Amino acid sequence: MTLKVYNTLTRKKEEFIPLEPGKVKMYVCGPTVYNYIHIGNGRPVIFFDVVRRYLESQQYEVNYITNFTDVDDKMIRKAEELAVSVPELAETFIQAFLEDISKLGVHDASMNPRVTENIQEIIDFIAALVEKDFAYEARGDVYYRTNKFADYGKLSNQNLEELQYGIRIEVDDRKENPQDFVLWKAAKPGEISWDSPWGHGRPGWHIECSAMVRKYLGETIDIHGGGFDLTFPHHECEIAQTEAVTGKPMANYWMHNAFLNIDNEKMSKSLGNGILIRDLVQQIKPEVFRFFMLSAHYRNPLNFSDESLKQASNALERIQNAYDNLKYRLATASDSSEVDPAITDRLAAIAKQFTDKMNDDFNTPDAITAVFDLVAEANLYLQQERVHAGVLQLFIDQLQAFDQTLGILSQQADELLDEEIEQLIVDRTEARKSKNWARADEIRDLLTEKGIFLEDTPQGIRWRRK
Ligand code: AMP
Ligand code: ZN
């Protein structure tokens, strides 16, 4: 089965065909860095990390870009509140964001471009829109002329008339039409600003992504992602900006995750029910939160509660226990050159089940069912008195392969006990005596991996920890 992706633009699951074979250009809208991120923000961060990891596991080379909005109204207000400069505020919360997501096992993006590093590209983009008559200047501001872009509304499936109803009429006589949106904002006195053909000002929100996508990935990309609230207006505006300039589709697949709720309520400032990731990971293992996030399909809402976290914790513990037990038994397992083909077949079937589910629009909850099937098989095997290293290794390899995508196994290097090391050294000596070089090497590799070094001395083998 080939990979199918639900495309917000067409409202269908479509076969994934990258622009260039074996490569994926992917952009996910990142945070405005004026605060610590909350658990809701964790959903797109974790989900799109899994998308990226899965594509990599399928041998795609993924260029994964996610930006930082390091200047906007919220940034300016917060900097004032804290009496720091906007760049200082940004630096603090960019570092905090990177720390938080790294605790969640999120791999580094290929690049994290910032608005303030791309002002010239943004100005050039706006100038191109003005040049093509898709944008107009009005007293130092520049606006996008939405009724000039025939496709405006195609992503969120609305037309301009419908959009007019939804719009709060602002007392702003600078706009030709209420649904026009700002590309460049004239600076108020004292505000951070850059010089431009329209005077001192700063970019509107939407334009940064159009400029950065084009600069870092090109005119058309494969996947553009974010939370579903970004569909309109943010992504709709990105499309209008980019496609007006390039005349080409901005992205072939638009992906949006549903929201995370808390105790069945929307997370919101007014309810005061927001939880920061950095507070949460003091209380629960980050892997549990990650597992919980993946326990629902990304297009379904997910409810955060003590109960659902407890369930996630119990379920993950079953996987981790099986993994630890496999590794523990491997240390003393006997060798066997033959692996029962029934086991290899069963493992292949489980691996296929996992891939099929991930290929079905990244169905992580069903893919996790495949992981549990593997755990069940492993536990059954571990009940045997004599286990074979080769079989254990197959189970371990398969779990690790799943985990390359999911990232839910504990990252803490589990230390070997002294007795286990000594037993392994005895096993290795015996393996060498019986000229079983493969087994001897395997044991040495395992020990090296655990930071244990062996030294042959006239008195026998000595070992030390790194
Ligand atoms: P914001 O902090 O609102 O700028 O959001 C940053 C990212 O987090 C965007 O992709 C949002 O769609 C996403 N997001 C914000 N709140 C939630 C939530 N409760 N559940 C899932 N995603 C969210
Ligand atoms: Zn964006």
Side-chain angles (χ1 to χ4, degrees):
M1 194 171 115
T2 50
L3 173 61
K4 291 211 169 64
V5 176
Y6 181 86
N7 189 351
T8 309
L9 187 63
T10 56
R11 289 166 279 283
K12 281 201 292 270
K13 270 189 215 171
E14 294 175 358
E15 188 182 338
F16 179 71
I17 305 169
L19 289 155
E20 212 184 308
K23 296 198 169 164
V24 179
K25 294 179 177 188
M26 184 167 174
Y27 184 94
V28 177
C29 297
T32 305
V33 282
Y34 70 110
N35 218 335
Y36 296 112
I37 53 166
H38 58 64
I39 53 174
N41 302 135
R43 194 164 192 197
V45 169
I46 292 172
F47 171 66
F48 287 106
D49 176 60
V50 166
V51 169
R52 180 249 190 115
R53 285 166 172 246
Y54 180 66
L55 291 168
E56 285 173 346
S57 80
Q58 301 301 296
Q59 313 309 321
Y60 286 106
E61 192 186 302
V62 183
N63 195 352
Y64 184 90
I65 308 272
T66 177
N67 66 309
F68 288 127
T69 302
D70 62 348
V71 60
D72 82 339
D73 288 342
K74 285 180 285 194
M75 294 284 303
I76 290 172
R77 249 181 283 132
K78 186 71 182 276
E80 243 167 49
E81 223 176 277
L82 299 179
V84 293
S85 69
V86 169
E88 278 167 348
L89 178 76
E91 206 47 50
T92 304
F93 288 109
I94 286 173
Q95 291 318 321
F97 174 83
L98 293 173
E99 265 172 44
D100 287 352
I101 68 164
S102 131
K103 285 202 196 101
L104 296 178
V106 172
H107 287 174
D108 289 346
S110 314
M111 216 187 274
N112 290 111
R114 308 177 185 191
V115 177
T116 56
E117 295 165 348
N118 287 281
I119 298 291
Q120 191 53 51
E121 287 77 3
I122 291 172
I123 291 174
D124 293 346
F125 212 109
I126 300 173
L129 286 167
V130 173
E131 167 78 24
K132 286 178 171 255
D133 220 28
F134 278 98
Y136 54 93
E137 198 223 320
R139 282 187 272 143
D141 285 355
V142 181
Y143 294 97
Y144 189 96
R145 187 173 275 129
T146 40
N147 64 9
K148 168 120 182 159
F149 185 68
D151 281 342
Y152 193 72
K154 70 174 172 182
L155 182 70
S156 50
N157 200 19
Q158 324 173 65
N159 59 36
L160 266 182
E161 284 100 79
E162 281 167 345
L163 283 170
Q164 249 143 9
Y165 283 115
I167 275 182
R168 187 160 41 99
I169 303 287
E170 298 155 36
V171 196
D172 189 346
D173 57 0
R174 283 187 250 195
K175 288 187 192 179
E176 289 175 3
N177 275 304
Q179 66 272 22
D180 291 355
F181 57 89
V182 70
L183 299 168
W184 185 261
K185 278 189 175 191
K188 297 197 189 88
E191 274 182 2
I192 183 168
S193 68
W194 290 263
D195 197 14
S196 81
W198 317 285
H200 284 278
R202 64 191 152 83
W205 173 31
H206 314 305
I207 193 69
E208 66 187 63
C209 292
S210 285
M212 293 192 216
V213 165
R214 184 171 69 165
K215 176 172 169 190
Y216 296 103
L217 293 171
E219 292 189 329
T220 301
I221 64 170
D222 294 296
I223 297 176
H224 194 125
F228 89 99
D229 58 320
L230 299 186
T231 311
F232 185 85
H234 186 54
H235 288 164
E236 198 71 73
C237 296
E238 286 187 30
I239 290 179
Q241 295 160 160
T242 296
E243 300 189 5
V245 166
T246 66
K248 295 175 192 158
M250 180 177 193
N252 285 336
Y253 304 90
W254 288 86
M255 296 180 67
H256 295 98
N257 63 272
F259 260 38
L260 177 80
N261 298 319
I262 298 193
D263 294 327
N264 291 313
E265 291 205 69
K266 218 180 138 198
M267 206 183 335
S268 78
K269 282 219 178 78
S270 55
L271 287 172
N273 60 356
I275 299 173
L276 300 180
I277 300 241
R278 54 182 46 210
D279 294 337
L280 181 76
V281 298
Q282 301 285 327
Q283 287 153 29
I284 64 163
K285 285 198 206 141
E287 293 86 2
V288 169
F289 182 59
R290 201 171 154 108
F291 180 87
F292 158 74
M293 279 290 189
L294 302 175
S295 64
H297 191 272
Y298 76 96
R299 283 189 289 115
N300 289 335
L302 175 59
N303 189 43
F304 181 97
S305 66
D306 286 345
E307 185 52 35
S308 54
L309 275 190
K310 184 92 198 97
Q311 276 173 11
S313 171
N314 291 341
L316 181 57
E317 207 173 294
R318 280 174 51 209
I319 303 175
Q320 185 74 46
N321 280 344
Y323 183 61
D324 293 344
N325 287 339
L326 287 165
K327 288 201 295 184
Y328 179 73
R329 292 289 292 277
L330 184 66
T332 53
S334 62
D335 183 49
S336 149
S337 46
E338 278 166 51
V339 174
D340 180 356
I343 292 183
T344 352
D345 289 353
R346 182 73 186 117
L347 283 182
I350 293 173
K352 181 173 182 309
Q353 185 191 342
F354 182 91
T355 313
D356 283 350
K357 296 304 177 185
M358 289 303 286
N359 278 345
D360 183 13
D361 191 30
F362 307 98
N363 190 336
T364 53
D366 284 2
I368 288 173
T369 304
V371 180
F372 279 111
D373 287 353
L374 180 68
V375 164
E377 290 290 335
N379 287 341
L380 206 62
Y381 185 71
L382 286 167
Q383 280 171 16
Q384 304 190 11
E385 213 163 291
R386 273 178 68 81
V387 288
H388 296 300
V391 176
L392 295 176
Q393 195 62 54
L394 280 180
F395 278 117
I396 292 170
D397 289 348
Q398 191 55 63
L399 264 176
Q400 285 176 342
F402 290 158
D403 200 52
Q404 261 182 14
T405 294
L406 301 175
I408 52 176
L409 290 174
S410 172
Q411 288 150 31
Q412 279 163 10
D414 42 347
E415 289 211 339
L416 288 174
L417 303 172
D418 288 4
E419 307 89 82
E420 288 172 322
I421 297 170
E422 265 137 36
Q423 182 59 49
L424 280 168
I425 293 172
V426 171
D427 288 355
R428 180 167 168 270
T429 311
E430 274 172 17
R432 286 169 62 149
K433 263 192 216 142
S434 56
K435 301 207 184 333
N436 186 348
W437 308 119
R439 175 68 184 147
D441 285 351
E442 197 174 271
I443 295 175
R444 177 174 278 252
D445 291 348
L446 174 74
L447 289 168
T448 313
E449 199 183 296
K450 302 282 179 200
I452 310 295
F453 290 97
L454 304 184
E455 217 179 310
D456 280 310
T457 69
Q459 290 78 34
I461 292 175
R462 287 198 9 215
W463 62 270
R464 63 187 162 84
R465 292 181 196 270
K466 190 166 65 169

